[in-house]
Amino acid sequence: MANVYNSQLDAFDLYHQNRESSSPNIGPALPALGHALAGSTGTAVSSLAIYPLDLIITRLQVQRSLRRSSSTPNEGEYKGVVDAFKQIYKKEGGISAFYTGVLQDTGKSIADSFLFFLFYNYLRSRRLQKHGTKATTLPLLDELTVGALAGACSKFFTTPISNIVTRKQTSSMISARTSSPTSSPSVSDIAQSIRSEKGLQGFWSGYSASLVLTLNPSITFFLYEFFKRAFLPRAQRDDPGARLTFLMAAVSKSIASTITYPFSLAKARAQASSSPPIDTDSAEEVKGEVEHALNKTEAEKAGKDAKKVVKRRTVFGTILKIYRTEGASALYEGIWGEILKGFFSHGITMIVKESIHKLIIQAYYIILKALDKYPSPSELATQTEVAIQDAGE
């Protein structure tokens, strides 16, 4: 199996991607846009299927931040995934309550996947050009860099939608635990609230945590490779089979999710919070110190205070604060739901993505035939001969 990696694909996708790339390509290949469409559609179906679990995980991550006292749970606080399912179904109107914000989330998932594939294809093509005209693969470090940059670019455009989705998912829970419950806010209401509370930069709350979370697929990939080398005989490593591939990929994903979960929790809290990215009172205090600094010592002190204010508002500062005030267990509130979501997501991906990919390829070839752009039998014979010669070499 070739060492090909991109940060938006799980180990199962990588396995099949390499199997497809190793087989000779006869006829016109599906353009990158078609692959992006197939990936986006598969992502949308998978996200739609597991959305209720995603909503519950978000609420579990946020609920402790709503406590009046960090040591005393609020009335009606969820005790876990199962209890959350029961309470939401009973108190919020049945099945429909589990799909609050689903349209916005599905749109975000499609946009995120689609933009990633486009950015990844563009950046990878540019990088391949620098390696020479005949280069078809990149070194592993380059693949990691390209994948990370593509992920960062796509997240930049979809983080504002992510903020709206998080507010949608938690609106009923927050409303129920306040003295004056309100109806579910619309998308425009949420956007106006974010703008008034945090300014324009508030739409990118949690973006730094999203960048850290791009490590999750990297960890998944390397764990998958480790399990292959540790538990499979050498002859079976290139083709473990669908069942073993799924099992190792799902276990790898679960471990990776456990490692990066505190950043996912910090992201959800940052997006659900009404506090601005920088505390205005602290900022004004530091500004006053700078303005009234009379000598170098006072100026240095003001600079250090400014750094402290900034550090407190980073994702790492948020995680450290949660650890100090709520304990280590608070960093993993809802982790079992995340692990369960990983298993379901992989299973649905295995069932759905391949079928959608085949349908799009079939539609593409039908269009080519209708436009009379599909290769003639003699052209196909020539391509076959060239492919065989290349394989022999």
Side-chain angles (χ1 to χ4, degrees):
M1 177 175 170
N3 284 325
V4 178
Y5 174 81
N6 92 46
S7 72
Q8 201 79 350
L9 300 179
D10 57 39
F12 176 81
D13 293 314
L14 288 166
Y15 167 70
H16 283 280
Q17 184 186 64
N18 282 282
R19 283 177 62 86
E20 290 167 6
S21 63
S22 63
S23 60
N25 183 28
I26 308 301
L30 184 69
L33 189 64
H35 287 287
L37 182 61
S40 299
T41 308
T43 299
V45 174
S46 178
S47 298
L48 191 63
I50 61 173
Y51 185 78
L53 190 55
D54 190 55
L55 179 142
I56 285 172
I57 292 167
T58 302
R59 291 194 178 191
L60 287 170
Q61 290 174 332
V62 170
Q63 66 175 357
R64 285 201 187 204
S65 64
L66 303 176
R67 289 179 178 179
R68 296 178 180 84
S69 170
S70 60
S71 59
T72 307
N74 287 338
E75 185 180 352
E77 193 168 289
Y78 308 134
K79 297 178 177 65
V81 175
V82 176
D83 183 54
F85 263 110
K86 291 178 179 177
Q87 288 201 47
I88 293 170
Y89 183 83
K90 183 179 178 181
K91 298 177 180 179
E92 298 182 26
I95 296 295
S96 62
F98 292 104
Y99 289 91
T100 304
V102 68
L103 292 177
Q104 293 78 22
D105 184 71
T106 303
K108 179 188 74 70
S109 297
I110 293 172
D112 200 23
S113 180
F114 193 80
L115 287 170
F116 174 85
F117 276 100
L118 293 183
F119 280 122
Y120 179 79
N121 185 64
Y122 171 75
L123 294 170
R124 193 171 188 274
S125 298
R126 293 291 298 271
R127 194 63 188 162
L128 282 171
Q129 288 175 5
K130 292 186 178 180
H131 281 268
T133 55
K134 293 184 179 180
T136 57
T137 59
L138 292 174
L140 183 58
L141 185 60
D142 283 7
E143 290 282 2
L144 286 167
T145 304
V146 168
L149 286 173
C153 291
S154 64
K155 296 293 183 191
F156 178 81
F157 289 100
T158 58
T159 295
I161 310 174
S162 178
N163 272 269
I164 289 172
V165 170
T166 300
R167 294 270 183 126
K168 266 278 189 184
Q169 290 176 332
T170 57
S171 60
S172 296
M173 179 182 71
I174 294 172
S175 175
R177 296 178 190 181
T178 59
S179 56
S180 54
T182 57
S183 58
S184 180
S186 65
V187 172
S188 60
D189 291 336
I190 292 172
Q192 288 175 6
S193 295
I194 294 172
R195 177 71 186 273
S196 63
E197 293 166 1
K198 305 180 181 181
L200 278 177
Q201 71 269 29
F203 288 98
W204 279 268
S205 294
Y207 179 62
S208 59
S210 297
L211 296 181
V212 176
L213 288 170
T214 58
L215 292 173
N216 188 293
S218 307
I219 299 168
T220 301
F221 176 75
F222 286 115
L223 285 171
Y224 173 78
E225 288 294 312
F226 170 76
F227 288 144
K228 274 205 314 179
R229 285 169 171 74
F231 301 112
L232 296 181
R234 188 180 297 274
Q236 198 179 354
R237 289 174 189 171
D238 288 340
D239 188 3
R243 290 183 180 178
L244 275 176
T245 300
F246 167 70
L247 181 62
M248 290 190 297
V251 172
S252 301
K253 179 69 175 177
S254 298
I255 296 172
S257 296
T258 302
I259 295 170
T260 60
Y261 189 77
F263 293 96
S264 175
L265 183 140
K267 173 189 168 186
R269 290 200 180 186
Q271 293 178 340
S273 172
S274 59
S275 301
I278 298 295
D279 181 52
T280 52
D281 292 337
S282 299
E284 287 295 327
E285 185 179 334
V286 171
K287 182 181 177 182
E289 288 181 7
V290 173
E291 289 176 348
H292 296 92
L294 300 175
N295 52 50
K296 184 179 178 181
T297 303
E298 289 184 0
E300 287 177 351
K301 180 181 179 299
K304 289 179 181 179
D305 290 341
K307 287 181 181 180
K308 288 178 182 178
V309 170
V310 173
K311 283 181 180 179
R312 283 200 299 268
R313 304 306 297 182
T314 63
V315 63
F316 296 99
T318 301
I319 290 173
L320 189 60
K321 181 182 177 182
I322 294 170
Y323 175 77
R324 286 173 174 171
T325 58
E326 302 175 32
S329 62
L331 293 172
Y332 290 92
E333 185 84 13
I335 182 63
W336 293 111
E338 184 70 23
I339 292 172
L340 194 62
K341 174 185 166 185
F343 270 86
F344 277 132
S345 179
H346 274 280
I348 294 166
T349 297
M350 289 179 70
I351 295 168
V352 173
K353 265 192 178 179
E354 193 170 346
S355 300
I356 292 173
H357 196 259
K358 286 179 181 177
L359 285 173
I360 290 177
I361 289 175
Q362 289 171 0
Y364 175 63
Y365 286 157
I366 289 170
I367 293 170
L368 286 178
K369 286 182 179 180
L371 297 174
D372 199 25
K373 290 187 178 181
Y374 195 80
S376 65
S378 59
E379 289 173 330
L380 282 174
T382 303
Q383 290 181 20
T384 305
E385 185 179 347
V386 171
I388 292 171
Q389 288 176 354
D390 291 342
E393 292 174 359

